[in-house]
Amino acid sequence: MNKDRIDELVKILNEASQAYYSGQDEIMSNYEWDAYFDELVKLEQETGYVPQNSPTVNAGYYEGLGEKTTHEYAALSLAKTKNIEDLIKWANDKDIYLSWKLDGLTLVLTYDSGKLGSIVTRGDGHIGTNITYMKEAIQNIPLKIQYKGHLVVRGEAAITYTDFENINNLLSDDDEKYANPRNLAAGTLSLDKSNLDKVKSRKVGFYAFTLVHIDEEIISWGSRMQFLKDSGFKCVDYERCNAGSIRECVERWTQIVEGGKMDIPVDGLVICYDDTLYAQGGTVTGHHANRAGLAFKWEDESALTTLKYVEWSCAASTITPVAIFEPVSLEGTTVSRASLCNISEMERLGIGEDEKTTLEIIKANKIIPKCISVKEAQGSFSIPDKCPVCGAKTFIKISEHSGTKTLHCSNEDCTARKVQKFARFVSKQGMDIDGLSVQTIVKFINLGYIRDYSDIFKLDRFMDEIETLEGFGTKSVNNLKNAIEKSKKVHPVNFLYALCIPQIGQDAAKKITQAIGWEGFITRVESLQGFEDLANIGPERSKALKTWFADNDNMHLFDKLVNLLEIENVEAVNNSNGALYGLTFVITGDVHGFKNRAQFKAYVESQGGAVTSAVSKKTDYLVNNDVSSASSKNKKAKELQIPIISEDEFVQRFGGIDA
């Protein structure tokens, strides 16, 4: 009987692990997984029966797609405990380091001769997937370091809660919502080479947590981490302690999480010995090296509460159910709402919609409120047939991949579908309105405060109501008021970018205003005159502008905004006498004289030149400090017989900051 239960638990946990590590829809919470895992460990110890595919003896999940690479050093998992006494006993009389256990995906980076050689996922701990093609799309990964020997670094790829909320709310109809940041990170790192722009937009960051190998002898773990910091790696936070101080350290670090001060997802803490030679001298049992480190996971605190109602919130056409319940105290904060994710999750939980329904709530990773079970369901939930934002009919969409049921708005013009445009409108490159995050915009749309861009500048009508909303208060409302007021004075380049006119980014907006000034732009808009005569605008961008302004709704919105805002009257700039007038450059790779490529580009444009992203027949020079590299841009330039010059050569010929 116990063997049957063990086989059942192994199957349940392995299926959950596959979803966990591959970015599929989440099957269960960490809370539920830990409960099943603890039960499995206990039964295996009692019976001595341990299946070969048991998660107690296998690390991670072996991904089925992509080029496979064998790890030079096995990426074994750590033994786990929820008892501080175990940490004290493990530390013994040794100096140890405490660090975060980030909730993401482990990656292994290898360097030789100062250059990044490979990025490999953890996989099953012995074989992972090679994703080196993502090297420029994942944040915080140095492509070059000063150290010229062989270096192996292990770290976690993670997405912050802030970026997760923003990205999840902006996903298009063809995408699936993700359950949490780790789930989104896993899905992102499973994308192929054709989706690097998407990977980059997801803002996956790499955080080094250990130096696995270096040719030099650095025994101290703390010194090895300092070496990584000095080499340009972003590392997890860590603190030196010992058996006598570890309890106080754990409690203090736990308070950081409970206080909401951690934006990067963590699901526990890790301790390791400072003496790495001592650590390497341990034995390996199953898939744990007994001295490699010990992970500490918090005991999840749960609370029972009564459901008040289910709120349906719409963003990018997806209508998400949220449980609103009687406030409960969890992990030091008061919680009154938790996302139910989708219709399938509501069905899995067996949630009712009557006020007598009893829910069990936790804060996943001590941060995100989550309903993990329904203790007593009264009535059955109903699915709204109208969108809460626009009132249009709703429909249920079933994912071909996972079978997950989600609710959607049928109205193509629903305001909630425009969340991505609102996000661009308030962005730093646009109107630069600090305090209007994507999740706040979604909330205001669902409350009916915002229907078009101009409503943002009329939010003072609702400030008393906003002050009473969860997450707001007098200070945050005043900050929002000030940010909106400050944004009313705007440069035309930022304003044009904010309007989300197809094909008109900051570069195009800058070229237009430099060529004809703001008044010249207004004159052309009012007469529906084209812009194809302007340098680097061309017929396609001109057509996009004319089409946008020919739409009565767009023109009406434009007029409203012009009357509400103070747009700087920028005059046309005549740089036809500049040293680079008529020349087109492509700038690639690292720069050393200019502060960055943006400053380099600004100089070229100030001298009448143009900078494009791709090498073509119209390119006059490719600037690359690695003139002999085999990069695609260098190859293209050689094919077209376009000169490839270094940054120093550029300065010698055309001037610049070092001239």
Side-chain angles (χ1 to χ4, degrees):
M1 189 68 178
N2 281 341
K3 286 188 176 182
D4 291 341
R5 179 57 177 165
I6 288 173
D7 288 336
E8 180 185 11
L9 288 170
V10 167
K11 183 175 184 293
I12 291 171
L13 289 169
N14 283 342
E15 287 177 354
S17 289
Q18 179 172 347
Y20 183 100
Y21 286 104
S22 61
Q24 299 171 18
D25 292 318
E26 189 175 65
I27 293 175
M28 65 178 67
S29 66
N30 287 344
Y31 181 90
E32 295 167 292
W33 201 93
D34 286 344
Y36 283 130
F37 187 84
D38 291 344
E39 181 186 352
L40 176 63
V41 170
K42 184 179 179 181
L43 288 175
E44 287 181 345
Q45 289 174 344
E46 290 175 353
T47 63
Y49 172 58
V50 182
Q52 287 187 343
N53 62 337
S54 172
T56 64
V57 293
N58 289 291
Y61 167 69
Y62 179 66
E63 303 102 318
L65 299 173
E67 177 191 345
K68 298 299 175 288
T69 300
T70 301
H71 289 299
E72 182 181 357
Y73 300 92
L76 303 177
S77 65
L78 300 179
K80 299 175 179 63
T81 183
K82 294 183 179 180
N83 191 336
I84 292 182
E85 296 301 325
D86 290 338
L87 300 182
I88 296 172
K89 182 179 178 181
W90 190 88
N92 199 3
D93 60 347
K94 305 288 183 182
D95 283 332
I96 59 173
Y97 274 92
L98 177 74
S99 62
W100 296 117
K101 183 176 181 294
L102 300 186
D103 191 17
L105 287 93
T106 298
L107 300 180
V108 180
L109 276 52
T110 303
Y111 291 81
D112 286 290
S113 303
K115 293 184 178 180
L116 175 68
S118 65
I119 305 172
V120 181
T121 65
R122 178 187 177 191
D124 67 355
H126 299 281
I127 299 174
T129 301
N130 191 315
I131 58 168
T132 311
Y133 58 87
M134 292 189 184
K135 63 184 180 181
E136 293 184 351
I138 301 173
Q139 297 178 351
N140 312 333
I141 292 183
L143 302 182
K144 295 180 181 179
I145 58 175
Q146 288 188 340
Y147 181 69
K148 303 303 179 186
H150 184 57
L151 194 77
V152 181
V153 182
R154 200 174 293 150
E156 200 81 350
I159 296 175
T160 66
Y161 283 112
T162 299
D163 287 332
F164 166 72
E165 291 290 344
N166 290 342
I167 294 163
N168 222 26
N169 281 324
L170 294 177
L171 291 178
S172 64
D173 295 344
D174 294 328
D175 290 306
E176 298 286 349
K177 298 286 185 180
Y178 288 86
N180 51 52
R182 186 257 311 136
N183 191 243
L184 176 59
T188 300
L189 296 186
S190 67
L191 296 171
D192 60 23
K193 295 179 182 179
S194 66
N195 285 289
L196 290 181
D197 286 344
K198 182 179 286 188
V199 175
K200 195 169 186 178
S201 71
R202 299 273 180 89
K203 299 184 179 179
V204 181
F206 177 79
Y207 303 88
F209 59 67
T210 194
L211 170 51
V212 179
H213 172 84
I214 185 171
D215 290 341
E216 298 177 5
E217 185 175 74
I218 306 177
I219 296 174
S220 164
W221 185 89
S223 298
R224 291 163 81 95
M225 291 299 288
Q226 187 60 50
F227 176 87
L228 290 179
K229 284 185 176 181
D230 294 341
S231 298
F233 290 90
K234 193 162 189 173
C235 299
V236 297
D237 293 335
Y238 53 88
E239 179 179 348
R240 188 166 184 155
C241 54
N242 54 42
S245 61
I246 191 169
R247 185 184 299 276
E248 184 273 329
C249 287
V250 169
E251 290 175 353
R252 180 160 35 83
W253 281 51
T254 300
Q255 288 172 7
I256 292 172
V257 181
E258 290 181 347
K261 297 177 182 178
M262 280 295 292
D263 198 26
I264 302 174
V266 297
D267 61 355
L269 304 169
V270 172
I271 61 169
C272 62
Y273 295 115
D274 184 45
D275 186 341
T276 57
L277 289 180
Y278 175 78
Q280 291 168 12
T283 58
V284 177
T285 304
H287 64 293
H288 301 306
N290 70 338
R291 290 184 186 173
L294 183 61
F296 173 77
K297 298 194 74 173
W298 296 288
E299 290 275 7
D300 285 303
E301 178 185 339
S302 67
L304 297 180
T305 184
T306 303
L307 178 70
K308 294 169 73 175
Y309 59 91
V310 174
E311 174 184 285
W312 295 82
S313 176
C314 187
S317 95
T318 303
I319 305 173
T320 304
V322 179
I324 311 298
F325 43 78
E326 291 295 338
V328 290
S329 179
L330 279 174
E331 315 285 3
T333 61
T334 300
V335 178
S336 61
R337 57 192 290 127
S339 173
L340 297 172
C341 300
N342 49 55
I343 296 170
S344 293
E345 178 67 0
M346 295 178 78
E347 291 175 343
R348 186 185 76 83
L349 289 168
I351 194 167
E353 208 167 15
D354 190 279
E355 291 184 2
K356 293 182 180 179
T357 294
T358 303
L359 310 177
E360 183 179 11
I361 306 295
I362 65 166
K363 285 181 73 176
N365 295 356
K366 293 189 174 288
I367 296 290
I368 304 298
K370 182 176 180 64
C371 177
I372 59 167
S373 69
V374 175
K375 295 300 183 184
E376 183 180 348
Q378 295 289 330
S380 58
F381 69 86
S382 58
I383 300 171
D385 58 2
K386 291 182 180 179
C387 171
V389 172
C390 70
K393 286 185 177 182
T394 60
F395 66 95
I396 296 173
K397 178 180 176 182
I398 301 176
S399 169
E400 293 181 5
H401 171 67
S402 63
T404 301
K405 299 176 185 176
T406 51
L407 189 65
H408 295 264
C409 173
S410 61
N411 180 11
E412 292 289 336
D413 293 321
C414 178
T415 305
R417 285 181 178 266
K418 302 172 185 175
V419 172
Q420 196 159 9
K421 291 184 177 180
F422 278 104
R424 172 165 163 172
F425 185 83
V426 304
S427 69
K428 196 166 189 66
Q429 296 83 5
M431 299 302 297
D432 191 16
I433 306 178
D434 191 27
L436 267 184
S437 65
V438 172
Q439 48 266 53
T440 299
I441 291 170
V442 170
K443 184 179 292 185
F444 287 177
I445 287 173
N446 279 272
L447 288 169
Y449 298 165
I450 295 175
R451 297 198 178 280
D452 66 40
Y453 301 146
S454 68
D455 290 329
I456 292 172
F457 303 100
K458 303 171 188 175
L459 280 173
D460 55 327
R461 298 175 295 172
F462 305 106
M463 286 303 178
D464 288 343
E465 294 175 36
I466 292 172
E467 192 171 333
T468 66
L469 298 176
E470 186 176 345
F472 282 88
T474 303
K475 185 177 179 180
S476 57
V477 163
N478 286 334
N479 289 341
L480 181 57
K481 281 182 183 177
N482 293 335
I484 291 172
E485 193 61 33
K486 182 181 177 183
S487 75
K488 288 181 179 178
K489 293 183 178 180
V490 61
H491 192 282
V493 170
N494 301 86
F495 177 59
L496 289 177
Y497 173 84
L499 292 176
C500 299
I501 302 170
Q503 300 190 49
I504 305 300
Q506 278 203 315
D507 277 351
K510 186 186 296 182
K511 288 178 173 66
I512 291 168
T513 52
Q514 285 180 342
I516 58 177
W518 180 241
E519 287 188 357
F521 178 80
I522 293 292
T523 299
R524 292 199 182 201
V525 165
E526 290 175 345
S527 63
L528 285 180
Q529 185 182 346
F531 298 85
E532 59 269 17
D533 59 306
L534 305 184
N536 298 303
I537 296 301
E540 288 188 10
R541 284 182 175 144
S542 177
K543 182 181 178 182
L545 280 161
K546 288 177 69 176
T547 300
W548 196 88
F549 281 103
D551 184 285
N552 289 332
D553 290 338
N554 289 339
M555 194 64 197
H556 180 59
L557 175 60
F558 180 79
D559 288 338
K560 283 199 293 184
L561 289 169
V562 168
N563 289 326
L564 285 166
L565 304 174
E566 186 181 329
I567 302 172
E568 187 179 339
N569 187 19
V570 173
E571 295 183 357
V573 177
N574 182 7
N575 57 10
S576 60
N577 294 323
L580 304 180
Y581 180 74
L583 296 178
T584 299
F585 296 82
V586 172
I587 303 168
T588 189
D590 296 328
V591 295
H592 54 256
F594 289 92
K595 184 178 179 181
N596 48 44
R597 287 204 302 238
Q599 187 188 52
F600 197 161
K601 179 181 178 182
Y603 173 76
V604 173
E605 291 176 342
S606 72
Q607 297 300 309
V611 177
T612 59
S613 58
V615 176
S616 70
K617 292 180 180 179
K618 295 181 179 179
T619 305
D620 292 294
Y621 293 94
L622 170 62
V623 183
N624 188 347
N625 281 324
D626 192 355
V627 294
S628 60
S629 79
S631 69
S632 59
K633 287 181 180 177
N634 275 25
K635 288 179 181 178
K636 186 72 173 177
K638 288 175 182 177
E639 287 175 10
L640 298 174
Q641 297 184 329
I642 293 167
I644 304 172
I645 61 174
S646 68
E647 184 181 359
D648 292 336
E649 287 180 83
F650 174 91
V651 171
Q652 289 172 5
R653 292 191 190 192
F654 306 112
I657 56 173
D658 290 334

